Amino acid sequence: GSGKSVLIKCIIGLLDADRGGINVLNNSVTEMNSRELDIMRAKVGFLFQSNALYDSMTVRENLEFPLRRHWIQVSPGETDKKVMEVLTNVGLAHTVDMMPAELSGGMRKRIALARTLILDPEIMLYDEPTTGLDPITGKEINKLIVELGEKYNTSAIIISHDMNCIRMTADRIVMLIDGKCYAEGTFEELKNNNDPKVKQFFE
């Protein structure tokens, strides 16, 4: 309730900021028109908390959808190659012709991640990537986030209140309290911070 999800939705232009400026890849989000926003979004991957897969589409069709939306000239052969590449990278090549309803929660999360990666984004935004997952599946997703960040050489902003997710994935943490950037540092620096408002998250 501190504004974490609102923050990244402002970054991607899904919500308008009340004031101030937001620059993404050297462009002002607040000054972009709808077409410019769509072009920028093709360079910024967004993993929704709910996964946002299309229930009426197969896994393949879900992954092909972004390629049809962002003015990218990709031949059918190249499309199929990209679909299988990202599915292989998340360990789910065998699900290509399955429907989302046939997949577990963790598998749907991986498919949503694959769909985000298919555009080769420069930046990844994750909105609560482990919400609704059991601890073992959550740990697998955290590990995958780190591995894919290294493989695709992408920067990431991860919104989370899951301390295991933060510990496993974060190089730098910014703690939001009452809508403000209250503290920042590495996991160990914040863990050893004696401020009661910070300390309560690590107890």
Side-chain angles (χ1 to χ4, degrees), residues 25 27 38-45 119-123:
L25 300 172
N27 294 297
D38 279 344
I39 293 171
M40 180 272 288
R41 288 170 182 149
K43 302 174 184 177
V44 181
L119 292 176
D120 298 317
E122 297 177 45
I123 301 170

Side-chain angles (χ1 to χ4, degrees), residues 51-64:
N51 302 325
L53 296 176
Y54 297 103
D55 293 337
S56 60
M57 294 182 181
T58 65
V59 167
R60 182 192 302 277
E61 290 167 338
N62 265 284
L63 296 182
E64 290 174 345

Side-chain angles (χ1 to χ4, degrees), residues 5-203:
S5 294
V6 168
L7 174 62
I8 60 170
K9 286 176 181 175
C10 288
I11 291 173
I12 202 69
L14 294 175
L15 293 175
D16 293 327
D18 293 331
R19 58 182 181 272
I22 300 170
N23 289 298
V24 176
L25 300 172
N26 297 316
N27 294 297
S28 173
V29 174
T30 54
E31 296 176 3
M32 290 181 185
N33 60 37
S34 58
R35 179 176 173 81
E36 290 168 336
L37 278 171
D38 279 344
I39 293 171
M40 180 272 288
R41 288 170 182 149
K43 302 174 184 177
V44 181
F46 193 113
L47 184 67
F48 290 89
Q49 182 175 332
S50 63
N51 302 325
L53 296 176
Y54 297 103
D55 293 337
S56 60
M57 294 182 181
T58 65
V59 167
R60 182 192 302 277
E61 290 167 338
N62 265 284
L63 296 182
E64 290 174 345
F65 188 79
L67 297 175
R68 299 198 302 267
R69 294 272 299 178
H70 288 294
W71 311 284
I72 297 173
Q73 300 300 316
V74 183
S75 70
E78 290 174 315
T79 297
D80 190 60
K81 182 180 177 181
K82 288 181 75 70
V83 166
M84 295 313 300
E85 177 187 342
V86 293
L87 279 178
T88 299
N89 285 336
V90 299
L92 291 176
H94 65 286
T95 67
V96 65
D97 293 315
M98 296 174 68
M99 303 297 290
E102 299 177 80
L103 308 174
S104 68
M107 293 168 79
R108 286 194 293 271
K109 185 70 70 176
R110 286 172 179 261
I111 297 300
L113 182 50
R115 185 180 62 181
T116 302
L117 291 168
I118 205 164
L119 292 176
D120 298 317
E122 297 177 45
I123 301 170
M124 286 289 294
L125 304 179
Y126 295 92
D127 188 7
E128 301 282 7
T130 57
T131 291
L133 302 178
D134 64 81
I136 294 174
T137 305
K139 186 176 180 179
E140 291 174 352
I141 294 297
N142 293 333
K143 184 179 178 182
L144 187 62
I145 287 171
V146 174
E147 290 174 351
L148 293 174
E150 293 172 351
K151 183 177 180 66
Y152 285 85
N153 194 32
T154 55
S155 298
I157 296 176
I158 302 169
I159 299 298
S160 183
H161 62 269
D162 178 347
M163 299 307 289
N164 286 324
C165 174
I166 293 165
R167 179 178 53 81
M168 289 181 67
T169 62
D171 299 308
R172 173 173 169 262
I173 300 165
V174 176
M175 183 173 286
L176 293 182
I177 297 179
D178 297 327
K180 299 183 183 300
C181 296
Y182 187 84
E184 63 178 283
T186 66
F187 188 89
E188 288 301 317
E189 286 170 347
L190 292 181
K191 184 178 179 181
N192 295 321
N193 190 314
N194 290 320
D195 186 319
K197 285 188 176 182
V198 175
K199 199 173 184 66
Q200 63 182 332
F201 288 93
F202 295 86
E203 292 177 343

